[in-house]
Amino acid sequence: QVQLVESGGGLVQPGGSLRLSCVASGSIVSINDMGWYRQAPRKERELVATITNGGSGNYVDSVKGRFTISRDNAKNTVFLQMNSLKPEDTAVYYCNAKIRRVWYSSNYYDYWGQGTQVTVSA
């Protein structure tokens, strides 16, 4: 059984910061790409940032220069540092990980966190 547990969401003022964390646990052989998605009211789910196992990040244009994705492979954890937050960043944020669960199969499967609310408002 694999589980992703998120933390760090909340309410902040415009210009503020939050750091989201997501820890994977359970039957894990290795983790490949990890990422963060978000879904705002009346909007479709959007990929915010991804990070490779080697630490190379990629970002949607709207968050470049403000958000930083990172990971701690020893702790099976991915982070999203969110600075200079704007009201437009308000959304439910979901973490995602591609996980290999058994040694005898090279397949990676997608797992998702439960989602955490980020609200940016004065």
Side-chain angles (χ1 to χ4, degrees):
Q1 189 75 11
V2 174
Q3 184 178 24
L4 303 184
V5 179
E6 301 179 359
S7 62
L11 173 65
V12 296
Q13 295 182 338
S17 298
L18 284 173
R19 190 182 74 157
L20 306 183
S21 301
C22 179
V23 181
S25 62
S27 180
I28 298 172
V29 174
S30 64
I31 302 178
N32 202 345
D33 293 352
M34 306 182 81
W36 291 93
Y37 295 71
R38 67 186 181 187
Q39 187 162 18
R42 300 173 298 280
K43 300 291 183 62
E44 294 185 344
R45 187 186 67 178
E46 174 186 41
L47 197 158
V48 178
T50 59
I51 186 167
T52 67
N53 193 50
S56 297
N58 191 40
Y59 304 87
V60 67
D61 286 344
S62 61
V63 309
K64 288 181 178 177
R66 301 188 297 119
F67 292 9
T68 302
I69 189 170
S70 61
R71 63 192 291 167
D72 185 337
N73 290 337
K75 298 181 179 179
N76 294 333
T77 301
V78 61
F79 304 94
L80 186 67
Q81 179 66 47
M82 310 166 69
N83 298 327
S84 301
L85 283 162
K86 304 175 180 179
E88 306 91 88
D89 297 317
T90 296
V92 177
Y93 284 71
Y94 301 89
C95 67
N96 168 262
K98 302 184 186 302
I99 297 175
R100 179 183 177 184
R101 301 206 301 121
V102 293
W103 69 268
Y104 52 83
S105 174
S106 297
N107 293 334
Y108 287 80
Y109 297 91
D110 281 329
Y111 291 88
W112 295 87
Q114 77 284 357
T116 185
Q117 178 70 49
V118 172
T119 301
V120 185
S121 176

